[in-house]
Amino acid sequence: MEEKVKNITTDEQQEYVINMGPQHPSTHGVLRLVVSLKGEIVKSVQPHIGYIHRGIEKMCESITYPQIIHLTDRMDYLSAHINNEAVCLTVEKALEVEIPDRIKVIRTIMSELTRIQSHQLWWASFGMDLGGLTCFFYGLRDREKILDIFEETCGSRMIVSYNCPGGLMYDIHPNFQKRVKEFIKYFRKILPEYDQLLSGNVIFHERSKGIGKLTLEDAVSYGITGPSGRASGFSCDVRKHEPYSAYDKIKFKEILFTEGDTYHRYIARIDEMWESMNIIEQLIDNIPEGPYAVKMKPVIKLPEGEYYQRVETARGELGVFIISDGNKSPYRVKFRSPNFVNLSVLNHIAKGFKIADLVAIGGSLDLVIPDIDR
Amino acid sequence: MDKIQLGEFIKSINPDLEIKEGKQYIEVSIPPSKLYILAKELREKEETQFDFLFCLSGVDYGQDLGVVYHLRSTKFDHVVVLKTRTTDRDHPQLDSVADIWKTADFHEREVFDLLGIKFTNHPDLRRLFLDSSWGFPLRKDYVDDINIVTK
């Protein structure tokens, strides 16, 4: 017996298989990774998913379009507002409804606030994954300020459900503009602190530079979008390529790097927070007057056909594909979720690195598990 | 290339194809046997270069089972939609495109899991979300005895 144990632990030829998850702090949800190791080196990573598969696509087939919006919150709960917007845009496109500028501008501001708070939480937990516990407190402290703005306007903090087909559920709160401006002023001062704490840290550089490299060719082939794809040089920002809402009226730059390692996926997200603040500043003083919602029919029925809408969530490209047969509920809905696709590259980029690096690589892809399982 | 040019170009590759100009994208219906060859040509041809498969969805059309491929070229930014369907509901089989676009690996596993379409030459075709005792929930004739959902 003793000899056998000795063999397993000392024989370097043998592969050692361990389970990471489904309850593991660094997977941020119920994701199970079956990792094959040779010593400390990762040989393969097999993701096992489906622990919170709720069958959202199946549920959509039996409910109405306004109801679907509330399910999309529960996919990528950190980009809840952008997910709502995606479904609304699809429905509005199918019905050829003209949306007033006020709605477009408010939606864009809310989307960018959502993006900032999502990246803040990502930064907080990514720092914690790598052993910097302070990051978690800093990140959540600042995120709280955005959630308070959401609470005041939407009535809810995270699962906002603020959109409805044809516009918004309610008008913005009278304090909204003032509080957003206060937040931007505050966060412009605070964001360099993030850099001092983590971006310039030598230990962090050692753990992230050159780790988990993803080439441009592989990023395109695996379909890696969002900041993770743009860190590899894949120009995939839907806000630039297929502008929706008010993105065609504002100036912003797409963050692109060519290195494609963990460090640059990190920097891409930090830079995106700066860029989001620029977008909000361009719009916050110029919210046009007008109605906050267009009157829609009480029962929304899409004309027969197929509709596809892409939006840019905090993690990448979300696609909503609706096949309608003319009824009040869709015939088939497919959500092309960014996290599901981004997870598929994990095995490819984690191979050959140490198991501790797997945590860093997984963190830099910024996976949200309910969006993978749907 | 815009929608019309793209349609004409695909027509020149294979004149038998049924090409429809959709509201948004150009849509090509193709029998399962010719799918792989066309997909490879669209990926490799200098004029099209569809290198980004951004959505792959399985659909139950009632009589048929089908798969819809949304392809985009990162160089030219044009989009094409390929549609294929098979009438065999008991043993549906399609060719896998996982060696052309690596992202198809996970997408096809999802379609296999939820609709039961088998993809030949797939590197690792296992169920993804559910275990093997489940039926195929996205099929229209699927009956769930526990959570009865009626339209």
Side-chain angles (χ1 to χ4, degrees), chain A residues 96-286:
Chain A
E96 291 168 5
V97 182
E98 195 59 46
I99 296 299
D101 282 349
R102 182 180 177 80
I103 300 169
K104 286 184 181 172
V105 169
I106 294 173
R107 276 180 179 173
T108 311
I109 294 171
M110 293 296 271
S111 294
E112 292 309 314
L113 284 174
T114 306
R115 197 179 315 279
I116 294 177
Q117 62 91 10
S118 168
H119 286 342
Q120 281 170 338
L121 184 68
W122 160 82
W123 182 80
S125 56
F126 185 54
M128 197 176 65
D129 286 346
L130 298 178
L133 196 64
T134 322
C135 302
F136 199 73
F137 299 115
Y138 275 40
L140 289 198
R141 177 195 64 192
D142 304 332
R143 180 170 177 258
E144 199 65 17
K145 296 198 186 316
I146 296 185
L147 295 188
D148 285 343
I149 296 172
F150 281 177
E151 191 180 4
E152 207 173 45
T153 288
C154 317
S156 176
R157 293 162 66 79
M158 204 159 82
I159 314 292
V160 287
S161 287
Y162 184 49
N163 281 289
C164 61
L168 307 162
M169 289 276 189
Y170 356 83
D171 209 348
I172 48 170
H173 193 274
N175 283 343
F176 180 74
Q177 278 161 296
K178 194 182 109 218
R179 288 190 75 164
V180 171
K181 273 189 263 184
E182 271 170 18
F183 169 77
I184 299 287
K185 201 176 156 206
Y186 165 81
F187 198 51
R188 278 198 182 276
K189 216 167 65 212
I190 286 289
L191 195 47
E193 259 183 39
Y194 286 26
D195 289 335
Q196 284 168 15
L197 196 62
L198 203 58
S199 317
N201 190 314
V202 183
I203 303 169
F204 174 68
H205 282 195
E206 290 291 318
R207 288 207 58 187
S208 62
K209 277 192 176 164
I211 303 292
K213 273 208 168 194
L214 178 65
T215 60
L216 171 60
E217 200 178 305
D218 282 337
V220 177
S221 183
Y222 277 100
I224 308 304
T225 49
S228 315
R230 291 195 282 277
S232 301
F234 178 17
S235 166
C236 57
D237 199 330
V238 183
R239 295 174 293 173
K240 278 269 181 224
H241 287 274
E242 231 174 82
Y244 55 95
S245 291
Y247 286 112
D248 50 349
K249 293 194 195 86
I250 44 177
K251 281 194 196 120
F252 67 102
K253 68 171 196 288
E254 188 178 4
I255 311 291
L256 280 175
F257 294 102
T258 47
E259 287 85 349
D261 57 355
T262 301
Y263 179 73
H264 285 89
R265 285 194 282 275
Y266 168 91
I267 293 293
R269 287 195 173 85
I270 295 282
D271 286 0
E272 248 184 34
M273 285 200 261
W274 286 109
E275 216 44 56
S276 291
M277 283 196 283
N278 287 341
I279 295 173
I280 295 171
E281 276 186 337
Q282 287 175 48
L283 294 172
I284 193 70
D285 281 324
N286 313 314

Side-chain angles (χ1 to χ4, degrees), chain A residues 59-71:
Chain A
M59 278 151 87
C60 288
E61 289 173 13
S62 55
I63 57 177
T64 60
Y65 291 101
Q67 286 173 317
I68 290 176
I69 291 163
H70 303 283
L71 288 181

Side-chain angles (χ1 to χ4, degrees), chain A residues 93 308 331-332 336 374, chain B residues 24 54 58 60 72 110:
Chain A
K93 190 198 281 178
Y308 196 94
Y331 184 77
R332 167 90 167 93
R336 184 260 190 223
R374 296 191 300 283
Chain B
Q24 244 178 311
F54 63 93
D60 183 356
R72 203 183 113 206
E110 189 194 353

Side-chain angles (χ1 to χ4, degrees), chain A residues 286-347:
Chain A
N286 313 314
I287 301 180
E289 292 297 319
Y292 63 86
V294 178
K295 202 163 168 32
M296 303 283 277
K297 281 183 186 154
V299 178
I300 295 171
K301 287 180 180 172
L302 298 200
E304 218 170 296
E306 295 175 8
Y307 308 96
Y308 196 94
Q309 174 69 42
R310 303 154 60 201
V311 294
E312 182 77 20
T313 74
R315 277 155 200 80
E317 176 181 327
L318 172 75
V320 180
F321 180 45
I322 294 181
I323 302 179
S324 171
D325 56 355
N327 278 325
K328 63 178 183 193
S329 41
Y331 184 77
R332 167 90 167 93
V333 178
K334 158 91 184 177
F335 293 110
R336 184 260 190 223
S337 66
N339 290 287
F340 177 76
V341 181
N342 288 3
L343 174 70
S344 66
V345 84
L346 189 59
N347 179 36

